[in-house]
Amino acid sequence: MVYLLAKLRPEECPQLLHRVVDGVCGRESPRMADYGDMWTLVEWMELLDSLSSLFRLAVGKNTPDEEVLASLADVGGGYGEAVLTVLRARREEIRQALVERTNNVSSSTLQDFDWHIKLALSSDKISSLQTPLLNLSLDVKENGALKPVSVEMNREELQTLISSMEAANKVVLQLK
């Protein structure tokens, strides 16, 4: 929906784009009232959403300028250049806001861990079980207090945990 940007005069475009970036960074977003009745409410919301997504994705995926321009081909050259100018000027600020937003997902951090493997030979229902179990003890710091967490997992649950941790590690390495 970035094509809706073409309703704006080219000289007003950078101001709107900077205010959209302000919104992405957690400050005040642009208000529809500041731009008269150029757009309907639905168009305004779609424009803000598409511009915010464009800035977040371009910075988050480290998209080259050529790809950003290609995604803005239906708007027109002057608008695409305005978007690129704002993106180049505020890339680091947007990246910092994205990192902060990601860090705010949880205030908990892992401080330490320990593990033990047990072999369950039988249970009250099955006479011969022969199931390996992992007992994982985590020390999690949450709001300044250390909180012990203990989890018991079978082989399948452990494999799921390892796969999730490997996927998270890949994301962290991509962000560096």
Side-chain angles (χ1 to χ4, degrees), residues 107-127:
S107 62
S108 301
T109 56
L110 179 65
Q111 296 297 302
D112 196 14
F113 70 95
D114 193 15
W115 57 273
H116 299 74
I117 294 185
K118 302 186 287 186
L119 183 60
L121 299 175
S122 65
S123 75
D124 60 342
K125 298 195 184 348
I126 301 172
S127 63

Side-chain angles (χ1 to χ4, degrees), residues 74-137:
D74 56 342
V75 179
Y79 294 100
E81 285 300 324
V83 169
L84 270 183
T85 302
V86 171
L87 183 62
R88 286 183 196 126
R90 302 198 52 194
R91 182 179 297 271
E92 188 56 33
E93 187 179 350
I94 297 168
R95 190 190 70 73
Q96 193 62 36
L98 293 175
V99 168
E100 188 175 310
R101 185 182 200 182
T102 302
N103 288 341
N104 287 337
V105 169
S106 175
S107 62
S108 301
T109 56
L110 179 65
Q111 296 297 302
D112 196 14
F113 70 95
D114 193 15
W115 57 273
H116 299 74
I117 294 185
K118 302 186 287 186
L119 183 60
L121 299 175
S122 65
S123 75
D124 60 342
K125 298 195 184 348
I126 301 172
S127 63
S128 178
L129 195 55
Q130 301 283 334
T131 303
L133 296 172
L134 172 76
N135 188 10
L136 182 61
S137 300

Side-chain angles (χ1 to χ4, degrees), residues 14 26-27 45 56-57 60 68 78 90 102 115 122-123 126 133 144 146 160 165 167 171 173:
R27 292 186 292 278
M45 297 306 292
R56 282 193 307 269
L57 289 173
V68 174
R90 302 198 52 194
T102 302
W115 57 273
S122 65
S123 75
I126 301 172
L133 296 172
L146 206 57
T160 303
M165 297 302 253
V171 171
L173 292 175

Side-chain angles (χ1 to χ4, degrees), residues 3 5 15 22 24 27-28 46 52 66-67 85 98 104 118 124-125 131 135 143 145 154 156-157 165-166 168 172 174:
Y3 69 87
L5 197 58
Q15 179 188 5
D22 286 344
V24 168
R27 292 186 292 278
E28 186 179 357
E46 288 174 352
S52 297
E66 297 80 30
E67 285 184 38
T85 302
L98 293 175
N104 287 337
K118 302 186 287 186
D124 60 342
K125 298 195 184 348
T131 303
N135 188 10
N143 299 327
N154 62 26
E156 294 79 27
E157 292 168 331
M165 297 302 253
E166 287 174 344
V172 168
Q174 287 176 348

Side-chain angles (χ1 to χ4, degrees), residues 32 39-47:
M32 184 177 171
W39 300 285
T40 65
L41 181 59
V42 171
E43 288 175 334
W44 175 252
M45 297 306 292
E46 288 174 352
L47 178 64

